[in-house]
Amino acid sequence: MNMSTFVAAAAHDMKNSVSVIAAYLEDALQQLATKDTEPPSGAALSTCQALYETQRVNGNLVQLMAIYKLEEGMYPFEPAQIQLDEFARELLDRVRPLARLKGLTLQLEAEPDVQDWVFDHDLIGSVLTQALFGAVRYAGQTVRLSFSVDQEQLEIEVADDGEGFPEFMLAQGFPARQGIDVHTGSTGLGLFFARLAAGLHRRRDVTGGTRLCNGGDLGGGRFTLVLP
């Protein structure tokens, strides 16, 4: 067994354990939400932070395994017709317990004539779930998930009203695989995976892409995934 195969197998094993921990934390949050005070107690806030970190690690492990399978030609890339309203509800339900405890408003905006699109549900779902968890972590009051069409391409944006992405992330953009940045400690895994997942989606000569910026009407970070 070579090292990459060993790491992939270990990541799979760790992901199973982390998923169990996340399930326990979600259950604890639900119990705290029914009897907690306003503002939330220290126990509730600590559980909230623990769940965020657990979900972040779980997402990273899922993405590591997907990258390994893609590079080995083993990933079952399966674009299909996806109902966007159901997809949006599924994404927002993943972060709703954290958002509720933090007192955040989750907004959904979608053009009424855009009902479905073709993409790989698991790949794109993984990218957007991680983006939403990040937005919930750093938002002040509002997180928005929006769907729109521009020049026959679907644009899915996750935006928040926090302080926005740091300058080093905006300058770095969506990196190629590069290891650990010695100045920031960042691996760039999430951004690398987002670019990889988007780029697998092609229609004729158009390829999917990603954008990262600050601003807009909410004033915070804006992550956009573009699908042909």
Side-chain angles (χ1 to χ4, degrees):
M1 179 183 295
N2 61 36
M3 181 55 68
S4 60
T5 302
F6 176 79
V7 170
H12 178 75
D13 187 48
M14 288 185 285
K15 184 192 77 67
N16 290 338
S17 296
V18 171
S19 295
V20 172
I21 296 171
Y24 278 119
L25 289 171
E26 287 176 352
D27 183 60
L29 267 185
Q30 290 177 355
Q31 294 183 43
L32 287 168
T34 62
K35 58 185 178 182
D36 204 23
T37 59
E38 290 292 340
S41 67
L45 291 175
S46 294
T47 304
C48 178
Q49 182 64 21
L51 178 58
Y52 163 75
E53 295 294 345
T54 302
Q55 293 286 17
R56 186 174 67 85
V57 171
N58 188 65
N60 286 343
L61 291 171
V62 168
Q63 292 177 357
L64 276 174
M65 290 188 296
I67 290 170
Y68 169 77
K69 291 179 180 179
L70 286 166
E71 292 189 343
E72 294 295 318
M74 299 165 51
Y75 187 86
F77 182 61
E78 297 176 345
Q81 203 83 19
I82 306 297
Q83 295 295 317
L84 296 182
D85 57 346
E86 296 178 6
F87 184 61
R89 285 196 297 270
E90 177 186 333
L91 292 172
L92 293 176
D93 283 347
R94 293 291 306 278
V95 300
R96 200 175 303 281
L98 289 177
R100 183 183 298 118
L101 193 64
K102 292 189 65 178
L104 300 178
T105 298
L106 295 179
Q107 297 180 348
L108 173 62
E109 292 186 356
E111 296 180 357
D113 56 337
V114 183
Q115 299 181 358
D116 54 57
W117 208 266
V118 175
F119 54 85
D120 185 291
H121 176 280
D122 291 344
L123 274 180
I124 300 306
S126 177
V127 171
L128 294 172
T129 296
Q130 288 296 86
L132 281 166
F133 273 118
V136 167
R137 171 68 178 82
Y138 293 105
Q141 295 181 313
T142 305
V143 172
R144 178 188 299 154
L145 175 65
S146 61
F147 296 78
S148 62
V149 173
D150 183 39
Q151 298 181 354
E152 300 185 344
Q153 297 187 83
L154 178 66
E155 297 194 354
I156 310 175
E157 182 182 88
V158 175
D160 64 70
D161 63 344
E163 296 183 359
F165 295 107
E167 287 300 321
F168 83 87
M169 289 185 67
L170 297 177
Q172 172 181 278
F174 292 83
R177 187 170 49 186
Q178 62 181 20
I180 299 174
D181 187 311
V182 295
H183 300 293
T184 66
S186 172
T187 63
L189 173 64
L191 298 178
F192 169 75
F193 182 78
R195 188 184 71 166
L196 177 64
L200 289 172
H201 293 77
R202 300 180 177 90
R203 180 167 53 87
R204 296 191 293 273
D205 59 343
V206 180
T207 302
T210 46
R211 296 198 301 267
L212 203 67
C213 64
N214 293 329
D217 61 327
L218 291 182
R222 299 170 61 193
F223 166 80
T224 305
L225 186 68
V226 183
L227 298 173

